[in-house]
Amino acid sequence: MKTIYADNAATTAMCPEAINAMTDCMNNIYGNPSSLHHIGQEAARVLTAAREDIASCLNASPAEIYFTSGGTEADNWAIRNAARLGKLKNKNHIITTAFEHHAVLHTLKKLEKEGFEVTYLDVHSDGYVTPEQVAAAIKDETCLVTIMFANNEIGTIQPIAEIGAVCKEKGVLFHTDAVQAVGHVKVDVKEQNIDMLSLSAHKFHGPKGTGVLYCRKGISLLGLMQGGAQERNKRPGTENTPAIAGMAAAMKKACAEIDKNAEFVSGLRDKIIDEVLSVVPRARLNGGRENRLPGNVSFCFEGIEGESLLLYLDLKGICGSSGSACTSGSLDPSHVLLALGLPHEIAHGSLRLSLCEYNTPEEADYIIAEIPKVVSRLRDMSPVWERIMKEEQK
Ligand SMILES: *Cc1c(COP(=O)(O)O)cnc(C)c1O
């Protein structure tokens, strides 16, 4: 049986460049970057080079790059930092959207318990928020706006540069969770007026368990943990040199090939969207067609359960997701789809396919052939679908 991996928003396969950089590091560069002898300094040089490469992909400077254990830590750190800075000035209001990743939403829920007020902007049914909404929500007490660059379930890209400009004008810190964007669409922290940004290596063919917080020079950054002097006294713990080298190699490659990959992958995406919507009745695309991540396909099929659809597709060799990997295992429909205004019943029938440049046109054709068959088999067994059909005949 063939296997088609279409769950790249959950994680990606590593690219050979990242694997080579990591194995080279593991074989040869085992020193502690904090050690003063030459073995340690070789490792320190790997970190310096990685920091430079990553900074240059973001149009940041190396001193603005802090290595973390991934996107989740970077999100927690950025938000906690802004909250602490806000508290010093008696500012306790934060603005976000209703469809952020849980690394952001759950950090904010915790802050609400600690006395912060959080505004959750409504999301347009096509999957975006506007700079005007942000401007209208900002008050004197606002210490942070945190809005994701691109949504991990429905792939919609937010007007980040414009939102950043609003925040800049009003003097409010702006953080963006760019975990789904970096390596896939152009990210430029200066042009897009970004103060703090989170990224994660395993979403662009790098290793898991490593990421970056970008924090603009001039913003005071407080560490979350106590320990050694690594990362300029902000993030203690011996650096994961091999993973950082792998992340830099993957990011360099992804950024160099970004246009080529986006063109190819969005071609596969559009073909799947067009064909499935034209063949399957009562199917909808979640999120608008404009401003969409090149690899994101997100459907809802009425009358069926996303989980059953996934399992059937898996039997056909197709690996997708019903929403985000983080919520699978719970029976609640995705908070992202509910934020779009979809009723529970429809949100339950969701399917996310997230493609990358390793997918092929033949794979897209196979997906296009299999989805309608599986959907119709599940609908044949579904009492909900039977009811929908009866109502249609009335
Ligand atoms: C994957 C993801 C995260 C979490 O990153 P980890 O490195 O897995 O901790 C955060 N935000 C978004 C949007 C993501 O897609």
Side-chain angles (χ1 to χ4, degrees):
M1 187 185 71
K2 55 175 123 232
T3 291
I4 298 176
Y5 187 70
D7 200 12
N8 288 279
T11 195
T12 57
M14 282 177 65
C15 61
E17 288 79 357
I19 294 173
N20 290 340
M22 286 186 80
T23 47
D24 178 47
C25 216
M26 288 189 279
N27 282 319
N28 305 310
I29 309 177
Y30 52 82
N32 186 321
S34 298
S35 298
L36 292 179
H37 49 66
H38 73 278
I39 297 280
Q41 287 312 295
E42 275 176 23
R45 276 196 291 279
V46 170
L47 294 186
T48 302
R51 207 183 297 282
E52 284 169 359
D53 287 342
I54 290 167
S56 126
C57 291
L58 299 172
N59 193 20
S61 66
E64 297 172 316
I65 301 299
Y66 297 88
F67 297 124
T68 68
S69 63
T72 300
E73 184 188 331
D75 283 341
N76 274 260
W77 192 3
I79 293 169
R80 285 263 166 208
N81 188 60
R84 270 201 284 204
L85 294 175
K87 214 166 184 179
L88 295 174
K89 298 185 191 161
N90 277 324
K91 293 182 172 204
N92 71 340
H93 176 236
I94 298 174
I95 297 167
T96 189
T97 72
F99 75 159
E100 297 295 313
H101 189 273
H102 283 145
V104 168
L105 285 181
H106 290 173
T107 304
L108 292 174
K109 283 277 170 253
K110 199 83 190 291
L111 284 173
E112 282 183 294
K113 292 211 178 89
E114 295 169 20
F116 281 83
E117 185 204 342
V118 179
T119 298
Y120 299 88
L121 299 178
D122 288 339
V123 179
H124 185 277
S125 58
D126 268 349
Y128 61 86
V129 294
T130 64
E132 291 76 24
Q133 282 176 282
V134 175
I138 291 179
K139 344 187 240 191
D140 290 344
E141 299 77 41
T142 309
C143 60
L144 173 69
V145 170
T146 174
I147 292 179
M148 68 199 323
F149 204 116
N151 185 272
N152 47 302
E153 288 186 37
I154 58 173
T156 51
I157 298 167
Q158 308 305 307
I160 289 300
E162 293 79 5
I163 292 172
V166 166
C167 295
K168 198 175 186 175
E169 192 201 311
K170 305 239 182 188
V172 176
L173 281 181
F174 175 46
H175 165 253
T176 184
D177 173 342
V179 173
Q180 289 291 331
V182 170
H184 304 282
V185 293
K186 194 175 161 235
V187 176
D188 180 319
V189 291
K190 291 203 179 73
E191 228 171 72
Q192 294 164 334
N193 305 306
I194 297 166
D195 292 321
M196 293 184 286
L197 172 146
S198 310
L199 67 84
S200 177
H202 76 101
K203 302 290 174 73
F204 51 81
H205 305 297
K208 296 170 203 6
T210 193
V212 159
L213 172 64
Y214 154 82
C215 183
R216 184 171 58 71
K217 226 177 288 171
I219 298 172
S220 127
L221 182 63
L222 303 155
L224 290 185
M225 295 190 292
Q226 276 63 52
Q230 290 89 354
E231 294 300 284
R232 303 178 294 287
N233 280 316
K234 311 286 192 198
R235 207 284 190 174
T238 304
E239 301 87 344
N240 189 349
T241 318
I244 291 168
M247 166 164 61
M251 193 159 162
K252 217 171 145 175
K253 177 162 200 263
C255 292
E257 298 178 357
I258 203 159
D259 292 332
K260 186 182 87 180
N261 289 340
E263 192 185 329
F264 172 71
V265 177
S266 59
L268 303 181
R269 172 198 68 187
D270 292 341
K271 189 164 183 212
I272 294 174
I273 293 175
D274 290 338
E275 307 243 345
V276 169
L277 289 182
S278 75
V279 171
V280 181
R282 289 185 178 253
R284 80 186 294 279
L285 178 70
N286 302 313
R289 299 214 50 166
E290 301 294 310
N291 299 321
R292 192 175 187 99
L293 285 174
N296 179 285
V297 174
S298 171
F299 294 121
C300 277
F301 300 104
E302 281 184 49
I304 60 174
E305 291 280 343
E307 280 72 20
S308 333
L309 179 56
L310 272 190
L311 296 177
Y312 272 74
L313 287 174
D314 190 30
L315 293 175
K316 303 276 188 184
I318 301 170
C319 305
S321 154
S322 63
S324 80
C326 319
T327 42
S328 54
S330 86
L331 281 175
D332 291 334
S334 128
H335 70 286
V336 173
L337 299 177
L338 296 181
L340 298 184
L342 289 181
H344 278 240
E345 196 171 290
I346 291 182
H348 268 301
S350 63
L351 171 69
R352 177 188 73 187
L353 300 172
S354 40
L355 311 164
C356 77
E357 66 277 21
Y358 301 166
N359 292 115
T360 64
E362 293 70 34
E363 290 180 343
D365 290 340
Y366 181 73
I367 289 171
I368 289 165
E370 290 304 322
I371 286 180
K373 289 193 239 169
V374 173
V375 169
S376 109
R377 179 160 343 143
L378 286 169
R379 282 175 171 172
D380 286 346
M381 305 185 284
S382 159
V384 179
W385 182 250
E386 199 179 341
R387 202 192 67 223
I388 292 171
M389 286 298 97
K390 274 196 187 124
E391 276 164 18
E392 203 177 73
Q393 278 157 16
K394 271 187 213 158

